[in-house]
Amino acid sequence: MLNLPTKCYFLNILGHFYPFFFNTTYRMVAFAAVSFAEGITFGAWLRALAAPVASDGDETITAAGNSWGWGARTARINVSATAPDGNAGFNMGVYNDVTMSLSAGDEANLWVKPMDIVKVSYGKYDNNTLRGDLCYGSWNWLRPTSSWIAEDEGLLMSGNGGTGLMAEITPMENLYIQAMVPITTEQVKAGTTYKNLRGGFAYTVPGLAKIKAQYIGKGAGSTDDETVTEESYTQADWEIKADGTIGLVAGATPTTTTTTIEGTDGNSNCDIEAEVDVLAVEGLYAGVGFRYDVRKDGKENNAGEENMKVALGVSYQVMPELKVSASGAFFTFYGEKVDPRFQAGLGVDYDLGDGLAVNADFRYLSKSGVDGEKADYTDHIAFSVGVQKSVSSNGYIGVAFQGQTNSGNFANNVITGKPNDDGEPKNFTWAIPVALSVWF
């Protein structure tokens, strides 16, 4: 993270050598602007993966992108500002990818602290205070997105990437409370807005456990019947005028049609999440997460969508050089006799010293099905073996070999698996990505 300095001695030097171009007035303005900017910090975290050789199951290809897909993020800046007293500030980000297209970052919000224990903010967030992650192995390469339902980030509990008015409260040590009302620039009925509010908490028992829970509203307010009136003319009502244009026949009368669009009753759909992390054993992280998706008439209206998730994540620092990670999740779904599915993974990280490290992982996603009838080629196995070399305290380079069964996709759309000549998605896809990552 880079701090903007409050003194710019080079401005005096420029003023000395170029008094006409950079006179005293300009220097005074520059000093004032930079001094005013005290507390502003700049940061960046970047990763790009380029595969000189890969296969989509049909052809040998080249590909490049982010771990999560789309264009390789090769430039980025995150800006944060905090007032000297720590009671006001803002956060924002601007990203650029290899296609030279700028995009908004993950967050843009401003905040104030009317009390030491209360922070109030408004904007777009990338707030992961409550999120529960377990990331390892291929998560840092081209992610085998066909081989899991729940990603490593948010495996145990989801983060807050919403937009709205948020309050964060720390009423006592080890207790954190978050609540957000999704008020946006779009004019929305209050009933709908408040059916989409979210709130949660995290409480840490030092040296023992961390307990988290949150409610995420996904409801909709009721709507009234709407009457729509339309006017139309028949072909006989039109004629070609003397000037060659087409117009209505004198005295033509439109046919009026009135349609009533029935209103909806609304719903109180929501996700309910909970997580417990064990902190009692040094070097061990173990967490279990639960999510239940409440959907009105879900069996009929949300067939195939998730109903419940139970997830487990464990990582253990066996020795200073060796860490082992494992994760899994079990899912049930809405619909008529839709079969549950599960995913599992195992990963190893080993530090060889001198900035050199190796990692490997294995992932599996079970088949989908209905009433015990499993769909062919819907299960996936993925694996990766990689090596990374730190080139400074702020970056590394790495190379890996990755594979995936049943025409699996890598990084969503970076490599899209192709079926065989018979249209069956059972090909083996693979990639050898070169990873470059830097952070400041």
Side-chain angles (χ1 to χ4, degrees), residues 37-86:
E38 182 179 5
I40 295 182
T41 58
F42 297 86
W45 175 86
L46 301 163
R47 179 187 295 156
L49 294 104
V53 61
S55 173
D56 61 9
D58 180 37
E59 297 179 312
T60 301
I61 61 172
T62 60
N66 290 313
S67 290
W68 52 94
W70 297 277
R73 185 173 296 167
T74 51
R76 163 182 179 169
I77 187 167
N78 288 87
V79 185
S80 295
T82 303
D85 60 8

Side-chain angles (χ1 to χ4, degrees), residues 58-238:
D58 180 37
E59 297 179 312
T60 301
I61 61 172
T62 60
N66 290 313
S67 290
W68 52 94
W70 297 277
R73 185 173 296 167
T74 51
R76 163 182 179 169
I77 187 167
N78 288 87
V79 185
S80 295
T82 303
D85 60 8
N87 290 329
F90 73 84
N91 304 287
M92 68 167 289
V94 179
Y95 300 161
N96 194 359
D97 63 30
V98 74
T99 63
M100 300 303 292
S101 60
L102 285 173
S103 63
D106 294 329
E107 61 179 344
N109 55 76
L110 73 161
W111 56 269
V112 297
K113 294 184 71 175
M115 303 169 58
D116 285 343
I117 64 171
V118 178
K119 179 179 178 181
V120 180
S121 57
Y122 179 79
K124 169 71 172 66
Y125 301 99
D126 183 28
N127 187 308
N128 299 315
T129 309
L130 296 176
R131 196 177 73 184
D133 306 337
L134 187 70
C135 305
Y136 59 92
S138 53
W139 183 256
N140 297 316
W141 300 101
L142 291 173
R143 297 172 186 169
T145 43
S146 293
S147 293
W148 57 47
I149 297 174
E151 299 183 335
D152 289 3
E153 284 186 352
L155 174 70
L156 306 178
M157 181 176 284
S158 57
N160 186 347
T163 297
L165 180 67
M166 182 160 69
E168 297 171 271
I169 306 169
T170 52
M172 57 183 287
E173 189 177 3
N174 300 319
L175 176 61
Y176 168 85
I177 301 172
Q178 178 188 111
M180 188 191 81
V181 182
I183 303 170
T184 69
T185 55
E186 182 182 355
Q187 185 172 309
V188 178
K189 283 188 175 182
T192 295
T193 297
Y194 286 101
K195 286 191 174 185
N196 284 271
L197 61 78
R198 62 186 296 160
F201 75 90
Y203 181 70
T204 302
V205 181
L208 184 61
K210 188 173 187 177
I211 303 167
K212 300 187 291 183
Q214 68 176 335
Y215 168 93
I216 304 172
K218 295 187 175 182
S222 60
T223 60
D224 299 327
D225 292 351
E226 181 181 358
T227 300
V228 179
T229 301
E230 296 180 345
E231 292 184 347
S232 61
Y233 293 88
T234 66
Q235 186 174 355
D237 293 325
W238 300 90

Side-chain angles (χ1 to χ4, degrees), residues 100-422:
M100 300 303 292
S101 60
L102 285 173
S103 63
D106 294 329
E107 61 179 344
N109 55 76
L110 73 161
W111 56 269
V112 297
K113 294 184 71 175
M115 303 169 58
D116 285 343
I117 64 171
V118 178
K119 179 179 178 181
V120 180
S121 57
Y122 179 79
K124 169 71 172 66
Y125 301 99
D126 183 28
N127 187 308
N128 299 315
T129 309
L130 296 176
R131 196 177 73 184
D133 306 337
L134 187 70
C135 305
Y136 59 92
S138 53
W139 183 256
N140 297 316
W141 300 101
L142 291 173
R143 297 172 186 169
T145 43
S146 293
S147 293
W148 57 47
I149 297 174
E151 299 183 335
D152 289 3
E153 284 186 352
L155 174 70
L156 306 178
M157 181 176 284
S158 57
N160 186 347
T163 297
L165 180 67
M166 182 160 69
E168 297 171 271
I169 306 169
T170 52
M172 57 183 287
E173 189 177 3
N174 300 319
L175 176 61
Y176 168 85
I177 301 172
Q178 178 188 111
M180 188 191 81
V181 182
I183 303 170
T184 69
T185 55
E186 182 182 355
Q187 185 172 309
V188 178
K189 283 188 175 182
T192 295
T193 297
Y194 286 101
K195 286 191 174 185
N196 284 271
L197 61 78
R198 62 186 296 160
F201 75 90
Y203 181 70
T204 302
V205 181
L208 184 61
K210 188 173 187 177
I211 303 167
K212 300 187 291 183
Q214 68 176 335
Y215 168 93
I216 304 172
K218 295 187 175 182
S222 60
T223 60
D224 299 327
D225 292 351
E226 181 181 358
T227 300
V228 179
T229 301
E230 296 180 345
E231 292 184 347
S232 61
Y233 293 88
T234 66
Q235 186 174 355
D237 293 325
W238 300 90
E239 67 177 359
I240 299 177
K241 302 293 186 178
D243 59 1
T245 62
I246 299 176
L248 288 170
V249 175
T253 303
T255 300
T256 302
T257 303
T258 301
T259 304
T260 300
I261 301 174
E262 292 187 6
T264 60
D265 294 333
N267 62 72
S268 298
N269 292 349
C270 65
D271 294 350
I272 299 171
E273 297 185 310
E275 179 185 345
V276 177
D277 300 333
V278 177
L279 310 175
V281 180
E282 184 177 358
L284 173 69
Y285 168 81
V288 60
F290 171 82
R291 189 188 77 230
Y292 188 82
D293 300 346
V294 179
R295 300 292 184 268
K296 181 181 179 181
D297 301 324
K299 189 174 181 179
E300 295 78 21
N301 297 334
N302 297 80
E305 295 186 15
E306 288 178 43
N307 176 215
M308 183 183 69
K309 178 187 74 174
V310 179
L312 175 68
V314 179
S315 66
Y316 183 58
Q317 197 74 42
V318 180
M319 58 183 72
E321 303 85 5
L322 176 64
K323 182 172 75 172
V324 178
S325 303
S327 62
F330 177 82
F331 308 87
T332 62
F333 303 89
Y334 281 107
E336 188 65 38
K337 298 182 179 180
V338 177
D339 293 342
R341 301 180 75 180
F342 72 90
Q343 66 181 57
L346 177 66
V348 177
D349 293 88
Y350 193 83
D351 186 354
L352 298 173
D354 296 326
L356 195 64
V358 296
N359 55 71
D361 77 330
F362 172 89
R363 310 284 183 136
Y364 175 72
L365 175 63
S366 67
K367 289 184 176 182
S368 63
V370 176
D371 198 18
E373 186 81 23
K374 301 300 183 183
D376 291 336
Y377 317 123
T378 55
D379 57 335
H380 293 276
I381 294 173
F383 66 89
S384 72
V385 179
V387 58
Q388 296 174 342
K389 170 64 178 177
S390 296
V391 296
S392 77
S393 60
N394 295 85
Y396 70 78
I397 184 172
V399 62
F401 180 80
Q402 299 181 252
Q404 198 169 186
T405 63
N406 287 338
S407 302
N409 298 336
F410 285 102
N412 290 303
N413 61 348
V414 171
I415 298 176
T416 303
K418 301 291 181 62
N420 62 17
D421 293 340
D422 296 325

